[in-house]
Amino acid sequence: MQSVAAALARLGDLAATAAVSRLAVAFETAGHELALVGGPVRDAFLDRGTNDLDFTTDASPDQILAIVTPISEAQWDIGRQFGTIAAKIAGETVEITTYRTDSYVDGTRKPEVVFGTSLDEDLLRRDFTVNSIALRLPQMTLVDPAGGIEDLLDGRLRTPATPEQSFGDDPLRMMRAARFSSQLGFQLDDAAFSAMKAGADSIRRISIERVNDELSKLLKTDAPRAGLELLVDSGIAAIVLPELPALRLEIDEHHHHKDVYQHSLTVLEQAIGYEKSRGKLQSPDLVLRLAALLHDIGKPATRRLEAGGVVSFHHHDLVGSKLAKKRLRELRYDNDTIAAVGKLIELHLRFFGYTEGAWSDSAVRRYARDAGDQLERLHILTRADVTTRNRRKADRLGFAYDDIEERIAQLAEEEELNAVRPDLDGEQIMSLLGIRPGRDVGEAYRFLLELRLDEGPIGEERATERLLAWWAARN
């Protein structure tokens, strides 16, 4: 946490940049107010970098456009109805929004926007006090009507208005509370948490697209656990991601198993650690994090209490994959994300057979082939899924996975495993067998692919012999 003087010094450096100084002069010349607001001001106090330049003004959207057009390389209307105009100035993208208030009426999913005339009123309608601090430009005056600086110092998330009013104006702020608790490492105010619990059902008024965006932002933070726990404890997760609280399975005195909910959160934390330390994925990796969080959601549906105090979850990988794809479709994730997460969950148990006996090269090839372009994510997910406190067991699993990764790398080097294909292609198959495109070609291709996986590359001559023998026996 920076001192006020240090934060002002950082903000002074920002205000001196070409983009901000040109904008400040232009608005002052036009007779309008301008203030840097929200994230950039907050992050100056937290000594964090920021990529956003957000401003607020008493000018209307049309007036904003007229002011920025002469000093910018480009301008675009990203939400005129919400009062927001964007522009590129001196190579920097800026967003300028008219003072406003938002509220949802009559159970609608879209807010009703009313433009205002006061900076203080605009700040007091914002989500949290730590985001309700502004810097007037070019005067370099801090404006903090809600006590946001004090809350920054205390590491506290609090709403400028009553939490009931704030969350009532925009229920998505409840999910933003979860995200900021993780992103900033701040403690949510007790009154705000109580309001979240009481108003959880109002999240249904928010469009699925906005819920998706906020959930994704939370998962992309460095430490999403605290925010996810807030969503579960407040009851919001039961509405937007019900599979997560469903992992809190009851444990009776006769049947014992690990806490699946806490295990899943730990797997997510460990996956993030591997994601960063291995450095092979672009971080943050949303697909990996979704798969880590949801990898065991098939367990509640497959839970069986067996004799001797054993609890089983047979086929929870397959069931979980289907449930995850269904939920992600409902949350409007794109098809590639849905398919990748589903595949990772379906495959996440496959490795554990490796520790029961040495796999043949064929089995290792199949493992890598089935993972395809998700192999690195599968490596991470499988490693992260080891949460046992038994150090000997954890080491044994870790050494086993080191071994399978080494074997995959060796086979890839020897055989170009990343592009495993039969030794003959479709055109060659049709020419050799004298057949036209159709089912027979597909079956012949699959025969050769299985041969390739079982025996490795055998060359075109031997592949031709084996194909002709298979075809003769088949017919």
Side-chain angles (χ1 to χ4, degrees):
M1 178 71 188
Q2 297 273 69
S3 67
V4 174
L8 279 171
R10 285 193 65 184
L11 290 169
D13 292 340
L14 182 59
T17 62
V20 179
S21 59
R22 287 181 195 176
L23 202 60
V25 169
F27 272 81
E28 185 180 43
T29 301
H32 285 287
E33 299 176 4
L34 183 73
L36 183 69
V37 70
V41 182
R42 177 198 69 214
D43 292 340
F45 281 89
L46 297 176
D47 196 20
R48 297 162 61 106
T50 183
N51 296 319
D52 300 322
L53 288 175
D54 296 327
F55 300 86
T56 188
T57 179
D58 64 337
S60 69
D62 288 340
Q63 291 170 327
I64 295 171
L65 197 57
I67 293 169
V68 301
T69 296
I71 62 170
S72 59
E73 299 97 75
Q75 317 83 37
W76 54 98
D77 182 346
I78 61 172
R80 183 182 295 261
Q81 71 273 30
F82 300 112
T84 302
I85 300 295
K88 179 166 283 189
I89 302 174
E92 295 282 350
T93 298
V94 302
E95 291 186 9
I96 309 107
T97 302
T98 306
Y99 298 153
R100 70 187 190 196
T101 59
D102 300 343
S103 63
Y104 285 76
V105 293
D106 301 327
T108 62
R109 286 175 174 254
K110 293 184 178 180
E112 179 181 282
V113 177
V114 178
F115 295 143
T117 58
S118 162
L119 175 59
D120 279 16
E121 289 179 0
D122 179 86
L123 295 175
L124 290 171
R125 65 92 188 168
R126 291 175 180 264
D127 54 4
F128 300 102
T129 59
V130 296
N131 296 328
S132 301
I133 311 167
L135 180 72
R136 283 191 185 274
L137 297 170
Q139 298 89 345
M140 291 295 295
T141 305
L142 279 173
V143 182
D144 180 23
I149 295 175
E150 183 178 348
D151 287 338
L152 280 172
L153 292 169
D154 291 341
R156 177 176 56 191
L157 273 181
R158 187 172 59 85
T159 56
T162 65
E164 291 79 10
Q165 179 182 338
S166 183
F167 296 157
D169 286 345
D170 184 355
L172 189 68
R173 289 174 174 174
M174 296 184 293
M175 292 189 69
R176 286 170 64 84
R179 194 237 302 179
F180 282 124
S181 71
S182 285
Q183 181 178 322
L184 304 177
F186 283 9
Q187 182 70 36
L188 182 64
D189 179 71
D190 288 344
F193 178 67
S194 296
M196 283 178 67
K197 291 181 68 175
D201 198 61
S202 65
I203 201 68
R204 300 181 192 275
R205 291 158 46 194
I206 301 300
S207 69
I208 294 299
E209 290 78 9
R210 293 184 74 206
V211 169
N212 171 314
D213 183 59
E214 201 56 53
L215 178 62
S216 297
K217 287 178 178 178
L218 167 58
L219 287 172
K220 289 178 180 179
T221 63
D222 287 341
R225 183 176 196 140
L228 291 167
E229 289 179 331
L230 266 178
L231 292 181
V232 170
D233 294 344
S234 65
I236 292 173
I239 298 170
V240 302
L241 192 63
E243 292 79 8
L244 184 57
L247 292 173
R248 296 187 295 186
L249 302 176
E250 293 182 7
I251 301 176
D252 64 35
E253 59 181 314
H254 302 296
H255 294 81
H256 301 283
H257 59 80
K258 69 176 65 176
D259 184 326
V260 183
Y261 168 63
Q262 291 297 330
H263 164 75
S264 297
L265 295 178
T266 299
V267 171
L268 173 60
E269 288 180 321
Q270 295 187 166
I272 292 171
Y274 283 123
E275 171 195 294
K276 293 178 178 179
S277 64
R278 289 168 66 96
K280 296 180 181 180
L281 297 176
Q282 184 174 350
S283 185
D285 189 280
L286 182 61
V287 167
L288 172 65
R289 297 180 183 203
L290 283 166
L293 180 65
L294 304 178
H295 77 284
D296 272 348
I297 62 171
K299 282 190 170 180
T302 58
R303 182 176 184 241
R304 298 290 182 271
L305 305 180
E306 312 285 0
V310 175
V311 180
S312 67
F313 303 98
H314 295 307
H315 306 301
H316 77 268
D317 46 348
L318 301 177
V319 173
S321 176
K322 292 178 181 178
L323 290 173
K325 288 189 283 190
K326 181 176 184 292
R327 176 56 54 195
L328 295 180
R329 279 194 294 269
E330 292 179 359
L331 286 170
R332 307 283 172 81
Y333 280 94
D334 63 272
N335 291 335
D336 288 345
T337 296
I338 294 169
V341 172
K343 176 184 283 190
L344 288 167
I345 294 174
E346 181 178 336
L347 295 177
H348 83 274
L349 291 182
R350 181 82 64 86
F351 159 75
F352 291 99
Y354 190 82
T355 62
E356 297 169 4
W359 280 7
S360 65
D361 285 351
S362 172
V364 175
R365 290 189 193 98
R366 290 174 190 277
Y367 183 79
R369 181 199 66 175
D370 290 347
D373 59 1
Q374 300 305 314
L375 184 59
E376 174 60 18
R377 290 182 175 125
L378 184 60
H379 287 333
I380 292 176
L381 177 58
T382 304
R383 288 181 180 274
D385 198 20
V386 179
T387 61
T388 178
R389 295 180 181 178
N390 184 323
R391 190 71 261 163
R392 182 177 297 178
K393 181 179 179 182
D395 287 344
R396 177 171 57 83
L397 290 169
F399 294 146
Y401 212 88
D402 289 342
D403 185 64
I404 195 174
E405 283 204 61
E406 289 174 7
R407 290 181 66 187
I408 289 172
Q410 183 179 356
L411 286 170
E413 184 177 345
E414 293 173 355
E415 305 174 10
E416 297 183 358
L417 185 60
N418 291 333
V420 172
R421 294 182 179 86
D423 293 280
L424 302 172
D425 62 24
E427 292 293 333
Q428 290 171 304
I429 291 171
M430 289 188 288
S431 176
L432 287 167
L433 302 183
I435 57 177
R436 298 173 62 82
R439 180 180 297 175
D440 287 341
V441 178
E443 292 183 5
Y445 188 92
R446 283 190 290 276
F447 164 75
L448 289 172
L449 182 58
E450 292 297 317
L451 189 64
R452 171 74 169 77
L453 289 167
D454 286 337
E455 301 181 19
I458 61 175
E460 290 187 15
E461 184 176 348
R462 287 188 60 201
T464 298
E465 293 174 0
R466 300 286 289 274
L467 174 64
L468 293 174
W470 171 82
W471 182 250
R474 184 176 181 274
N475 290 281

